[in-house]
Amino acid sequence: MTYNKQHLQHYFPFYLAALLTLTPWVSSPTALVMGFALASFGFVPTTFALGKVTKKLLAYSIIGLGFGIQLNEAIEATSNGIGIILSTIVGTLVLGWLLARLMKLDKVTGHLIASGTAICGGSAIAAVAPAINADEESTGLALATVFVLNSIALFIFPVIGHALELSQHAFGTWAAIAIHDTSSVVGAASAYGEEALKTATTLKLARALWIVPVAFISALLFRSNSKKITIPYFILFYCLAILINDNLPQFQMVYNGIFDISKKLLVLCLFFIGCGISIDKIKSAGAKPLIFGVLLWVVISTTSLLYIMNYIQ
């Protein structure tokens, strides 16, 4: 009992901040900064399994967002974006391979970062790593690099979008293409607007489906004997939620409630992700992997933005 009281007293700021993220007063970028600040001052419980909780909570939140998306909107967004999805995935992987050779970066680390940039950040890295027998160091470097860029994107993308006067649909498309992790995509898109959030979520999850073929191809390219591939099953449940919403419209009030709760849970996810940031983790990425990741990110961001401004905006 004494331990519990001491625990609550010391980590009270953590629990208070977590509750605040569920209110309308805390945005996604603010939640991320709050998490990082608390982690820096040692207010995040070490016994709290942040990684596992965040992963599950994010999956549940994405499924919940499916109840706020109409089937015809999902089909339209996916069909309109399939060309840019395929071209950016293939282009990023090829450019990553060439750039890694040019920079003399470890090919495994380079491929992991390129896969994370091409598809969906940490999820893609987690799926591809066992397929190519990547060691913990390479996987950690790739994750740290993508994590840093995700944190930056969460803040600067909405600013750029407003500066360029991008429409909700255009920004949602850009966020889905150019931001790595699903959590940061939905965080940036939700800060921009509800229509942007719907477009970004649909396109990002359509993009995430390519984890499976990319992991298989990666295993063949690296001649790995591993068959362990992480499949994001929550995508299937997300699609199921859209189908339920479309076929049972009489429960629309319930769906709206689930959708609103899911958006707030996403903010909580960003807070937990911020709590997982450490200066040591950022430093461990080193200069070369970070430069490699930045170059890839700049190319995919600028080329996709130019395409969107000319053909989608």
Side-chain angles (χ1 to χ4, degrees), residues 36-162:
F36 175 69
L38 289 175
S40 299
F41 289 102
F43 288 118
V44 177
T46 54
T47 55
F48 194 75
L50 278 175
K52 292 183 179 179
V53 171
T54 304
K55 185 177 180 179
K56 290 183 178 180
L57 192 61
L58 177 61
Y60 296 146
S61 301
I62 295 299
I63 294 171
L65 289 180
F67 287 100
I69 296 176
Q70 301 299 320
L71 181 60
N72 60 333
E73 293 178 356
I75 294 174
E76 183 180 356
T78 305
S79 60
N80 290 341
I82 191 66
I84 192 171
I85 287 175
L86 283 175
S87 59
T88 51
I89 288 176
V90 175
T92 302
L93 291 173
V94 172
L95 178 62
W97 179 74
L98 294 172
L99 193 59
R101 294 193 63 179
L102 184 64
M103 295 179 62
K104 297 181 179 179
L105 179 67
D106 173 65
K107 66 177 184 179
V108 172
T109 303
H111 185 70
L112 288 176
I113 295 174
S115 299
T117 305
I119 308 175
C120 57
S123 299
I125 293 172
V128 172
I132 63 175
N133 286 329
D135 56 29
E136 291 185 4
E137 183 178 355
S138 297
T139 306
L141 284 173
L143 287 171
T145 300
V146 166
F147 186 84
V148 172
L149 298 180
N150 264 314
S151 303
I152 296 172
L154 187 62
F155 290 96
I156 68 170
F157 267 58
V159 175
I160 296 173
H162 285 300

Side-chain angles (χ1 to χ4, degrees), residues 214-289:
V214 167
F216 275 116
I217 294 172
S218 298
L220 293 175
L221 291 175
F222 282 79
R223 291 177 173 81
S224 170
N225 293 322
S226 173
K227 296 182 180 179
K228 183 180 178 182
I229 297 176
T230 303
I231 301 175
Y233 288 106
F234 68 90
I235 294 176
L236 301 179
F237 290 105
Y238 168 81
C239 296
L240 179 61
I242 296 176
L243 291 175
I244 292 174
N245 182 24
D246 186 66
N247 289 281
L248 299 171
Q250 61 267 37
F251 301 108
Q252 194 59 52
M253 288 185 64
V254 177
Y255 304 150
N256 291 338
I258 296 174
F259 182 74
D260 291 337
I261 292 172
S262 298
K263 287 195 295 183
K264 296 314 299 179
L265 289 179
L266 286 172
V267 179
L268 180 60
C269 286
L270 266 296
F271 170 71
F272 286 155
I273 289 173
C275 290
I277 302 177
S278 67
I279 300 299
D280 291 336
K281 184 181 290 187
I282 295 175
K283 287 182 179 179
S284 69
K288 190 178 287 188

